[in-house]
Structure formats: structure tokens, C-alpha cells
Amino acid sequence: MDQTQVAGDLELDKTLYTEEQIQGRLKEMAAEIEADYEGKDILLVGVLKGAVMVMADLARTLNRHVEMDWMAVSSYGSGTTSSGVVRILKDLDTDLTDRHVLIVEDIIDTGLTLSWLVTNLKSRKPASVEIATLLRKPDALQMDVDVKYIGFDIPNAFVVGYGLDYNEKYRNLRCIGTLAPHVYS
Ligand code: IMP
């Protein structure tokens, strides 16, 4: 069964980005990252669970050594909105002192979680902290954190697939799409 059919069966309203489009954009982002970090070590920091797919594909697209580490955080909020109040469920195993940290994100919506994360990681005395995200929503433009690498700017809709979930489902889709409205109700 191909992924389009899977997506259809799982009630995707519309495919926003196909597997090919996602992989193509990740290649371009990886080329930029390789150029910017020439001669420097990189520690990729992924935020569980949404960033798993982006991290796996971006890391493998980078034609150089990288280290990877993970954090799990929980953002207190209701349903599909986040409040910016964050609790660490799993911290990094790596000491960030003098490290070049590149946070790898699946999506930035309000940016509240990310803004908190950047402040938290910067307090650990790294050499640098930058952000790479596959998707960015319009509200994120108001946040006061610079995002250096952006895959796609998307409209303000709830999207799933490629790591992104609705009630823990759809993460395993290879494409990214919007959910049919009736799935919410
Ligand atoms: P923010 O703090 O508002 O930027 O939201 C951060 C988190 O909310 C993301 O890492 C996702 O886990 C989740 N999120 C925001 N928008 C979406 C979406 O459209 N689909 C699935 N998850 C989303």
C-alpha cells in the first residue's frame, strides 16, 4: 500500500508536501548547514517526539560528522494550543559547554516552547545555539527568536504526518497534510 493510499485511509484532507518535496528541501537545508558549520563540531538537539523524522533524515543528509541528543518536554496547554510553560521530561545527556548546538524542530507554531528551550540551552554556556525547523506557521513570525534554517512556511492550519501527530496518530506518514475537519469533531 503506498503512502497516498495510507493518507487517504487516515482521512487527510490535503497533502501539503510529498515525501519527495520534504527530502528535496532537507537536502537544501543540509547544504546550507554544511557550509555554515565548516570546521566546527555540531550537536543536533531534537525535541521528542515530533522531531524524530526530521532529525533522522536531516542528520543522514548531512555529509559530515554530527552528534545527536534528545530532550523531551511537556508544554502545559489545552488541546492544540501551547502555553509556553514547559517542564523537562527528559534532559540532554550531553554537556553543552562550548558546543555548537543546532536545535532540530518539526514545526514552530507560537514558538513559545522553542523560545523557552533556547533560553534554557543558552544558560548552559554553549558556543552557539541555532534553530532548524522543517515547518513554520505565521504566528511564529512574532516570536523574538531567530530561526536560521526553515524548510517551509505554511498557513495556519493543523498539519500531521512526518513526525507530527493528532492524538499520537499520523506520525508515521511520509508526507505532511491537513486533517479532514470532521476528524476533530
Ligand atoms: P508552539 O510552542 O506553539 O510553537 O508549538 C510547539 C509544538 O506544538 C510543536 O512542537 C508540535 O508538537 C505542536 N504543534 C503545533 N502545531 C502543530 C500542528 O499543526 N500539528 C501537529 N502538532 C503541532
Side-chain angles (χ1 to χ4, degrees):
M1 193 189 293
D2 75 12
Q3 285 282 318
T4 321
Q5 198 179 346
V6 174
D9 287 350
L10 296 179
E11 300 166 316
L12 275 202
D13 196 27
K14 194 171 117 200
T15 301
L16 281 185
Y17 299 105
T18 62
E19 181 178 8
E20 289 71 27
Q21 287 171 316
I22 295 168
Q23 298 304 328
R25 187 70 188 109
L26 286 178
K27 256 188 207 150
E28 293 169 353
M29 291 168 76
E32 273 184 65
I33 293 168
E34 282 167 13
D36 292 349
Y37 286 88
E38 211 180 322
K40 294 175 183 163
D41 289 334
I42 307 178
L43 175 68
L44 299 176
V45 168
V47 183
L48 294 169
K49 305 171 193 170
V52 167
M53 308 300 178
V54 192
M55 177 73 120
D57 287 340
L58 181 66
R60 286 181 296 179
T61 308
L62 284 166
N63 192 22
R64 51 159 295 153
H65 290 299
V66 290
E67 284 179 43
M68 285 176 255
D69 203 348
W70 297 93
M71 269 181 99
V73 298
S74 116
S75 172
Y76 294 102
S78 58
T80 54
T81 51
S82 77
S83 63
V85 182
V86 178
R87 187 162 57 108
I88 297 178
L89 303 176
K90 185 228 168 279
D91 207 342
L92 298 171
D93 299 323
T94 316
D95 178 358
L96 296 192
T97 313
D98 298 331
R99 300 300 307 265
H100 290 285
V101 175
L102 180 57
I103 300 172
V104 177
E105 270 282 20
D106 47 351
I107 191 164
I108 308 174
D109 183 1
T110 62
L112 287 169
T113 313
L114 193 60
S115 168
W116 175 90
L117 187 65
V118 168
T119 307
N120 182 289
L121 298 188
K122 279 189 174 163
S123 73
R124 307 183 193 195
K125 313 268 183 277
S128 66
V129 178
E130 299 291 354
I131 301 158
T133 186
L134 183 64
L135 304 175
R136 183 174 68 172
K137 286 192 186 177
D139 284 352
L141 296 171
Q142 273 137 50
M143 101 182 160
D144 58 358
V145 176
D146 280 340
V147 184
K148 193 153 187 193
Y149 309 98
I150 298 156
F152 303 104
D153 274 307
I154 63 165
N156 217 346
F158 196 77
V159 295
V160 295
Y162 198 69
L164 292 156
D165 76 306
Y166 176 64
N167 283 345
E168 293 302 324
K169 293 199 192 105
Y170 308 100
R171 290 194 199 275
N172 59 324
L173 289 181
R174 289 177 185 272
C175 63
I176 292 169
T178 46
L179 269 186
H182 74 265
V183 180
Y184 299 103
S185 48

